[in-house]
Amino acid sequence: MSALLEVKGLQVHYGGIQAVKGIDLDVHEGELVTLIGANGAGKTSTLNALSGLLKPAAGSITFAGQPLAGMPVHQLITAGLALVPEGRGVFPRLTVAENLAMGAYVRADQAEVRKDLDRMFGLFERLHERRDQKAGTLSGGEQQMLAIGRALMGRPRMLLLDEPSMGLAPLMVQKIIAVIRQVAAEGMTVLLVEQNARLALQAAQRAYVMEGGRISFSDTAHACLNDPRVRAAYLGE
Ligand SMILES: Nc1ncnc2c1ncn2[C@@H]1O[C@H](COP(=O)(O)OP(=O)(O)OP(=O)(O)O)[C@@H](O)[C@H]1O
Ligand SMILES: [Mg+2]
């Protein structure tokens, strides 16, 4: 079976800085895969190249059989790839409900959009309670939920999540991860970038470990959790 997302030899450069030095990575339909690695390993650069925010210096990105490398963001969204960026990027002066509606702006099926809105409020109880509140007044964790919900409102085929746990209190981190697992369990394909390796490995089926712009290790999440190198370098053991 071919992968939904297939990345080969991906390179990302910032001028003379080679942030991503030729990586291969696959995600199959319905999989929850994590990309872990330390500060500066190149995780965000990889996701930004996958989502069209950065133009790869080299390599191919194939999504659902279609070559995507170098395509503009709006075409990637239409193809079904949705990025929830680091730092979230909700619209602070719009309400929760308005932010969610923005996620569906490319869709014409209004009745289905309303159904999905209800589905989001079912998935994120907090957002339902705060539906008429301005997004800028939400807590960090609530904004993260909103950013995920907004991405889902576009009915993507795959979600790219950049460090959803960043800066959140432990209880909120657990909630966010539970939601990501539920979304994946319902069939969504997810690539989860995390610095919190333990958490990511507990949630994902497979993992890629990134170091200095390269994939240094890749296996099932279970095997990574038990690998002495991963444990020493990323799990503080
Ligand atoms: N806009 C930029 N201009 C120049 N160098 C950059 C830029 N963005 C990132 N880099 C460099 O590229 C490398 C990879 O950064 P990247 O943000 O992809 O790492 P990361 O794995 O996401 O790290 P973090 O865990 O801190 O988010 C780093 O050395 C970083 O300094
Ligand atoms: Mg990053």
Side-chain angles (χ1 to χ4, degrees):
M1 204 181 75
S2 66
L4 179 62
L5 176 73
E6 199 170 47
V7 177
K8 288 211 188 303
L10 181 71
Q11 294 187 29
V12 179
H13 302 169
Y14 302 102
I17 300 170
Q18 298 189 8
V20 180
K21 300 173 181 168
I23 64 163
D24 296 348
L25 178 154
D26 295 326
V27 184
H28 288 85
E29 185 109 50
E31 259 193 321
L32 169 48
V33 173
T34 186
L35 177 63
I36 57 175
N39 239 295
K43 306 179 299 295
T44 296
S45 302
T46 299
L47 271 200
N48 288 350
L50 296 181
S51 59
L53 292 174
L54 285 174
K55 212 172 150 62
S60 68
I61 301 168
T62 311
F63 183 67
Q66 202 186 348
L68 295 192
M71 257 193 200
V73 174
H74 70 270
Q75 271 178 30
L76 292 169
I77 292 172
T78 309
L81 262 179
L83 173 72
V84 179
E86 205 170 12
R88 297 150 200 143
V90 299
F91 302 109
R93 285 139 77 104
L94 298 186
T95 66
V96 166
E98 287 164 347
N99 266 277
L100 289 171
M102 288 296 285
Y105 77 101
V106 291
R107 294 173 53 186
D109 50 341
Q110 286 311 311
E112 287 295 306
V113 168
R114 270 191 298 278
K115 269 193 216 160
D116 282 352
L117 199 58
D118 287 340
R119 205 163 62 83
M120 290 312 132
F121 286 140
L123 193 57
F124 304 102
E125 200 182 312
R126 289 279 190 108
L127 297 185
H128 190 220
E129 290 162 9
R130 289 161 174 71
R131 62 180 296 159
D132 298 318
Q133 201 169 311
K134 296 243 189 304
T137 68
L138 298 178
S139 75
E142 290 159 359
Q143 289 190 28
Q144 183 65 55
M145 288 181 184
L146 182 55
I148 295 172
R150 188 179 62 184
L152 289 172
M153 286 298 291
R155 284 218 178 159
R157 286 188 70 177
M158 180 168 182
L159 265 188
L160 306 171
L161 300 170
D162 198 356
E163 306 238 20
S165 79
M166 193 173 54
L168 303 184
L171 196 64
M172 190 51 94
V173 169
Q174 292 306 325
K175 282 193 176 158
I176 293 283
I177 288 296
V179 162
I180 293 168
R181 292 176 83 146
Q182 187 179 338
V183 167
E186 288 172 8
M188 181 62 65
T189 308
V190 181
L191 180 59
L192 169 65
V193 162
E194 263 300 335
Q195 242 187 81
N196 189 334
R198 183 181 305 278
L199 189 80
L201 291 172
Q202 284 165 354
Q205 284 134 24
R206 280 197 307 118
Y208 291 89
V209 180
M210 200 165 185
E211 268 173 35
R214 300 181 201 278
I215 302 290
S216 59
F217 191 80
S218 154
D219 208 329
T220 64
H222 182 78
C224 288
L225 277 170
N226 292 303
D227 185 274
R229 288 163 295 176
V230 175
R231 292 174 79 99
Y234 299 102
L235 303 177
E237 290 175 5

